[in-house]
Amino acid sequence: MGRRRENRWQPPEHPEVERPRAYSLSEDARGPDACHAVTPVPVWAWVQFPTFHVRVKAFAKSWTRDAVLVEWAQFGQQANAWVWRSAVKHRTLRADATRRSPQNAPPH
C-alpha cells in the first residue's frame, strides 16, 4: 500500500493582481470652491473604471457645482473618486431591523 502524503493540498499561489482604479475627474473638470461635508451624505453613484462602470453605494464627502467626491468600499478597501454631479443620487439608510420596536413597525 502507498503512504499518504502529508500536507497534500495547499492553496494555489497567485501573484497579487492589481485591482482596477476608478476614473476621477481632474481639478479643472470638477471646478473650484469645494464644499466639504461635516457628516458624509449617503448616495448612489455611477463610477467608471477602465473597462466597465458600476453603480455603488457611496457617501458624498465633498462637492462643487459640477462634481461630487464619493467614497465607497471596493474589494474590502476604501476607494474614492470625483464624479459628475449628474451621476449621483441621494439614498436613505435603512433602519436596523433589530432596533425597531413593535410600536414603530409599519401596519400590516
Side-chain angles (χ1 to χ4, degrees), residues 2-8:
R3 271 181 40 201
R4 183 173 180 188
R5 291 183 292 169
E6 299 216 11
N7 299 327
R8 179 170 48 172

Side-chain angles (χ1 to χ4, degrees), residues 14 20 25-26 31 82 92 102 108:
H14 297 289
L25 297 173
S26 68
W82 282 94
T92 56
H108 296 278

Side-chain angles (χ1 to χ4, degrees), residues 16 45 47 51 57 59 63 66 68 74 78-79 82 84 91 95:
E16 185 61 32
V47 179
T51 57
K57 286 182 180 179
F59 289 91
W63 51 85
D66 298 322
V68 179
Q74 173 184 330
Q78 175 184 333
W82 282 94
W84 294 116
R91 71 180 169 94

Side-chain angles (χ1 to χ4, degrees), residues 51-63:
T51 57
F52 64 95
H53 54 272
V54 64
R55 188 177 188 206
V56 297
K57 286 182 180 179
F59 289 91
K61 306 277 286 186
S62 300
W63 51 85

Side-chain angles (χ1 to χ4, degrees), residues 23-80:
Y23 288 131
S24 188
L25 297 173
S26 68
E27 191 173 338
D28 289 340
R30 63 182 179 242
D33 302 327
C35 295
H36 306 287
V38 174
T39 303
V41 180
V43 295
W44 287 103
W46 283 102
V47 179
Q48 186 173 359
F49 290 85
T51 57
F52 64 95
H53 54 272
V54 64
R55 188 177 188 206
V56 297
K57 286 182 180 179
F59 289 91
K61 306 277 286 186
S62 300
W63 51 85
T64 65
R65 198 179 95 219
D66 298 322
V68 179
L69 175 63
V70 294
E71 182 176 275
W72 71 97
Q74 173 184 330
F75 307 116
Q77 296 181 350
Q78 175 184 333
N80 60 37

